Amino acid sequence: MMNIPNYTDVERAHKIVQKYAHRTPVLSSVSINQIVGAELFFKCENLQKVGAFKFRGACNAVFSLSEEDAQKGVATHSSGNHAAALALAARMRGIAAHIVMPENSPEIKKKAVAGYGAKITFCKPTLQARESTLAKVIEETGATEIHPYNNFHVIAGQGTAAKELIEDKGHFDIIMAPVGGGGLLSGTAISSKELLPACKVIAAEPAGADDAFRSFHSKKWVPSENPKTIADGLLTSLGERNFSIILDKVDDIVTVSEESIVEAMRMIWERMKIIIEPSSAVPLAAILEKKVDVQEKKVGIILSGGNLDLGKLPF
């Protein structure tokens, strides 16, 4: 039996997370609302610590460890936001973070993870190399593995973003999130369905990385193979726990084109004056493509993060 978090676990996570994470603002745009014919409310996790929602889950996982386990440290393999989030959460608790990163990771991400005090082990840029190197690090250190999304405490922590959104703005007809590994989406679904049972939970995914879309609609897990998208935070396959929650609580998953992702990203930059990464733009892209009927509805959108290489902007 898989251990699946419920809303009580999200509430427990929130007591931890709110001590260390930002309660991020919820913003809206009159001009975007006019364009789409709906009331959109954006939960700005791009303004979260380390620039992404990932800090919530990492924080809950680190501070939920027993004192005995914590002293051995935590470990993961990641080249992105989860690596930085886990490193910062571990530093806050005063314990070691062991991060396995592919040697071809962007320099800015290597510097960020090192800057938070993590011990980095580099490996070849293959999943097999990442997993075998991590296994070796855990064997040598006794550290606890904190998976980026297929982890009980991580999922519960990610659910705190939707909990805050609903507490701050009340009823919603639809709540949307992007989907990659499914940590944010599964946590969002747990909170949304508990607090607003009639609210639809809808995820958006790039058409070039549509494993969650295919998994959801076939009801069978489909791996992510050779994904191609500008939304680099959404390249991973769904986690086992995440897929189970998504099948139970999510109403729909839709896909969007690369052109729409760029259009939505640019729209938020220009009209809301905030920096988001491509993954964050995917739900708005689905609305612009009319993949989701939002006419005259109140819609909450989790903006997942704001970390990107400004030298490689798509516009």
Side-chain angles (χ1 to χ4, degrees):
M1 281 288 289
M2 261 188 308
N3 199 6
I4 300 287
N6 57 31
Y7 185 67
T8 303
D9 300 304
V10 176
E11 290 182 306
R12 193 175 293 121
H14 203 210
K15 286 177 181 168
I16 293 171
V17 170
Q18 64 189 0
K19 293 179 193 170
Y20 305 100
H22 296 314
R23 189 178 185 105
T24 52
V26 180
L27 303 181
S28 59
S29 163
V30 171
S31 63
I32 294 178
N33 287 350
Q34 288 172 342
I35 290 166
V36 303
E39 255 194 304
L40 307 186
F41 292 87
F42 297 90
K43 176 67 169 166
C44 293
E45 288 298 291
N46 55 317
L47 302 177
Q48 187 53 265
K49 287 180 180 173
V50 310
F53 75 92
K54 294 276 190 181
F55 182 69
R56 294 176 180 271
C59 183
N60 187 45
V62 165
F63 283 93
S64 293
L65 289 172
S66 70
E67 197 57 40
E68 183 183 356
D69 286 339
Q71 290 315 308
K72 296 172 186 170
V74 289
T76 197
H77 65 76
S78 168
S79 60
N81 294 336
H82 177 65
L86 190 65
L88 177 58
R91 189 175 80 178
M92 286 178 159
R93 185 158 181 185
I95 63 175
H98 303 274
I99 311 291
V100 174
M101 296 185 80
E103 57 199 13
N104 64 345
S105 301
E107 285 303 316
I108 190 169
K109 292 187 175 177
K110 292 177 185 175
K111 285 177 184 172
V113 174
Y116 289 126
K119 298 173 182 175
I120 302 174
T121 304
F122 292 107
C123 67
K124 296 291 181 189
T126 66
L127 181 60
Q128 184 182 359
R130 286 163 68 136
E131 289 179 343
S132 62
T133 306
L134 178 62
K136 190 177 174 189
V137 167
I138 289 172
E139 187 182 347
E140 289 171 356
T141 62
T144 300
E145 179 182 0
I146 308 294
H147 193 277
Y149 44 89
N150 191 31
N151 174 290
F152 181 96
H153 293 293
V154 167
I155 294 168
Q158 314 309 25
T160 63
K163 178 178 183 287
E164 290 178 3
L165 172 62
I166 294 164
E167 286 171 353
D168 290 349
K169 295 298 175 182
H171 168 79
F172 286 96
D173 299 301
I174 301 169
I175 290 181
M176 297 183 68
V179 57
L184 178 62
L185 177 60
S186 50
T188 297
I190 290 167
S191 292
S192 300
K193 290 298 184 181
E194 176 71 26
L195 296 172
L196 301 172
C199 174
K200 287 192 171 175
V201 177
I202 300 177
E205 184 176 46
D210 67 345
D211 60 294
F213 171 83
R214 288 183 290 140
S215 299
F216 179 80
H217 290 285
S218 69
K219 305 292 183 271
K220 291 176 184 168
W221 183 81
V222 177
S224 178
E225 292 180 346
N226 302 316
K228 290 182 175 62
T229 175
I230 189 177
D232 61 343
L234 308 180
L235 296 171
T236 46
S237 301
L238 285 174
E240 189 180 8
R241 276 190 182 87
N242 313 98
F243 186 41
S244 175
I245 296 165
I246 288 164
L247 282 181
D248 181 44
K249 297 187 184 297
V250 171
D251 294 283
D252 200 7
I253 297 179
V254 300
T255 61
V256 299
S257 69
E258 295 297 290
E259 294 77 16
S260 294
I261 295 172
V262 173
E263 181 188 357
M265 182 178 167
R266 182 169 187 150
M267 184 179 287
I268 289 174
W269 277 57
E270 288 182 345
R271 293 172 186 268
M272 298 181 70
K273 313 303 181 206
I274 56 173
I275 291 175
I276 62 161
E277 60 191 69
S279 302
S280 293
V282 174
L284 179 58
I287 292 172
L288 296 178
E289 281 193 16
K290 296 186 166 48
K291 293 284 182 73
V292 181
D293 178 17
V294 298
Q295 289 301 302
E296 297 182 5
K297 290 186 169 72
K298 184 177 174 184
V299 183
I301 295 176
I302 314 279
L303 291 177
S304 51
N307 295 323
L308 76 166
D309 185 342
L310 293 176
K312 295 180 180 175
L313 281 179
F315 44 76

